[in-house]
Amino acid sequence: INNITVFILLGLSQNKNVEIICFILFLFCYLAIWMGNLLIMISITCSPLINQPMYFFLNCLSLSDLSYTSTVTPKLMIDLLAEKKTISYSSCMTQLFILHFLGGIEIFILTGMAYDRYVAICRPLHYTVIMSRQKCNTIITACCAGALIHSASQFLLTIFLPFCGPNEIDHYFCDVYPLLKLACTDTYRIGLLVIVNSGLIALLTFVILMVSYFLILYNIRAYPAESRTKALSTCSSHITVVVLFFVPVLFIYIRPATTFPEDKVFALFYTIIAPMFNPLIYTLRNMEMKNAMRKMWFHCFWKGSNFYEKQII
């Protein structure tokens, strides 16, 4: 029995002044996410870097970041200015499905990037053979398929829950644990399945990523100082992204089906903060990326300037 057609989102705060400050802050964050990720995608797509596996994966990660945060942030900003924060039942389920689908893609792409760095550093002579374009496309396809299975499982666990009582979700978007709290049935077993589906997948992926980077750091000990510095710079930027994304995810999904007020703050890290910092981490600490961006934009402005001068003449 489902008597609920609309959910009320309690949001981040009940204080209007705090909500206005949050709106301004998240507006700047969202603009930074769009500008940073679009800059990365355009710079990679319009340069020879797109033929390198690492930047091919980075391009996919930027697209995933942009899509992922756009599932939550616009609705959050609208609700910060609204008197009543509501979302329909169908929109809530759609948001949950898309959010976990895109989040799953991001998790698996980070794993693919770690594998790419492992092959590049630990097996450099076989790198071009192992990481062919066909192999990269296969990895991205596997990321999407794995994310679809994960998201569909979460969706099926939630869509059949009966909601017949309170309809206030203590969050700023629709997620599994807040919805389990509202269901008018025993959700203990479903909560365990959510832990297996989300928590253990995130934990296993995080462990695999950390082990791969540990093996990389172990193998570069004998490298020359310059190569070692470059490898350390690349790995440190990747590890920073992994920690920013996975630690909040593990805090929320690895425990039993309970909700805490801190969940909303931790959720901001993987829905807004991590996608905002990813472009900065991958561009400011990457010399090839900065050179590609500099050449591309210089070429665009120079070509545009010459075209404008010819029009005047």
Side-chain angles (χ1 to χ4, degrees):
I1 300 173
N2 191 353
N3 298 327
I4 303 297
T5 57
V6 175
F7 289 107
I8 298 173
L9 298 168
L10 297 183
L12 292 172
S13 174
Q14 302 300 312
N15 189 315
K16 201 61 186 177
N17 293 329
V18 173
E19 288 185 327
I20 292 173
I21 294 172
C22 288
F23 172 81
I24 296 171
L25 177 63
F26 295 145
L27 177 62
F28 281 110
C29 290
Y30 193 52
L31 291 174
I33 290 168
W34 267 93
M35 291 173 62
N37 285 292
L38 279 178
L39 185 63
I40 285 180
M41 288 190 290
I42 294 171
S43 300
I44 292 175
T45 306
C46 299
S47 72
L49 289 179
I50 191 64
N51 298 317
Q52 298 184 33
M54 186 178 92
Y55 296 101
F56 173 76
F57 288 130
L58 178 57
N59 191 42
C60 294
L61 181 68
S62 294
L63 178 60
S64 172
D65 272 339
L66 199 55
S67 305
Y68 178 69
T69 193
S70 295
T71 308
V72 174
T73 311
K75 172 65 176 170
L76 169 61
M77 292 193 297
I78 291 171
D79 286 343
L80 287 171
L81 299 181
E83 288 296 327
K84 197 171 184 180
K85 308 167 182 59
T86 60
I87 184 169
S88 67
Y89 176 84
S90 57
S91 298
C92 182
M93 296 298 128
T94 303
Q95 186 184 58
L96 185 144
F97 177 83
I98 295 175
L99 189 71
H100 280 273
F101 175 64
L102 295 173
I105 290 177
E106 183 150 350
I107 286 175
F108 295 133
I109 287 177
L110 289 173
T111 310
M113 293 176 74
Y115 174 72
D116 169 70
R117 288 302 85 202
Y118 172 79
V119 175
I121 293 171
C122 299
R123 301 187 64 185
L125 298 178
H126 303 89
Y127 178 70
T128 54
V129 177
I130 296 174
M131 296 304 297
S132 63
R133 177 45 60 94
Q134 183 180 0
K135 182 71 170 288
C136 293
N137 290 332
T138 302
I139 290 174
I140 293 298
T141 303
C143 291
C144 294
L148 182 61
I149 294 171
H150 158 71
S151 181
S153 302
Q154 294 285 77
F155 180 75
L156 291 174
L157 288 173
T158 312
I159 194 69
F160 294 112
L161 288 174
F163 298 100
C164 50
N167 65 337
E168 291 185 342
I169 300 177
D170 190 14
H171 216 303
Y172 61 89
F173 64 91
C174 287
D175 205 1
V176 181
Y177 282 168
L179 288 171
L180 290 181
K181 191 176 179 181
L182 298 181
C184 49
T185 186
D186 183 17
T187 59
Y188 176 75
R189 291 182 181 179
I190 297 176
L192 292 179
L193 291 174
V194 172
I195 293 174
V196 172
N197 188 24
S198 294
L200 290 185
I201 288 176
L203 180 62
L204 183 62
T205 308
F206 181 70
V207 170
I208 291 172
L209 289 171
M210 289 296 103
V211 170
S212 67
Y213 287 121
F214 173 79
L215 291 174
I216 290 171
L217 296 175
Y218 179 80
N219 279 276
I220 65 175
R221 294 177 305 156
Y223 278 37
E226 184 178 351
S227 299
R228 191 164 61 246
T229 302
K230 184 179 179 181
L232 282 171
S233 176
T234 302
C235 289
S236 63
S237 63
H238 289 201
I239 292 171
T240 304
V241 170
V242 167
V243 171
L244 272 176
F245 188 85
F246 275 92
V247 171
V249 169
L250 289 173
F251 174 81
I252 291 175
Y253 291 108
I254 203 63
R255 64 173 193 255
T258 55
T259 58
F260 298 115
E262 295 82 8
D263 288 353
K264 290 183 277 189
V265 177
F266 277 93
L268 289 173
F269 278 90
Y270 59 80
T271 55
I272 297 177
I273 296 174
M276 181 182 67
F277 278 108
N278 281 359
L280 296 175
I281 292 169
Y282 281 114
T283 53
L284 295 180
R285 297 182 62 84
N286 191 314
M287 189 57 67
E288 285 184 333
M289 191 70 210
K290 286 191 286 187
N291 289 336
M293 291 169 62
R294 195 178 297 116
K295 288 178 182 178
M296 190 204 70
W297 292 108
F298 176 77
H299 176 73
C300 288
F301 285 123
W302 178 258
K303 189 175 180 180
S305 176
N306 288 344
F307 177 78
Y308 180 70
E309 289 176 1
K310 287 178 183 179
Q311 292 293 104
I312 293 176
I313 293 172

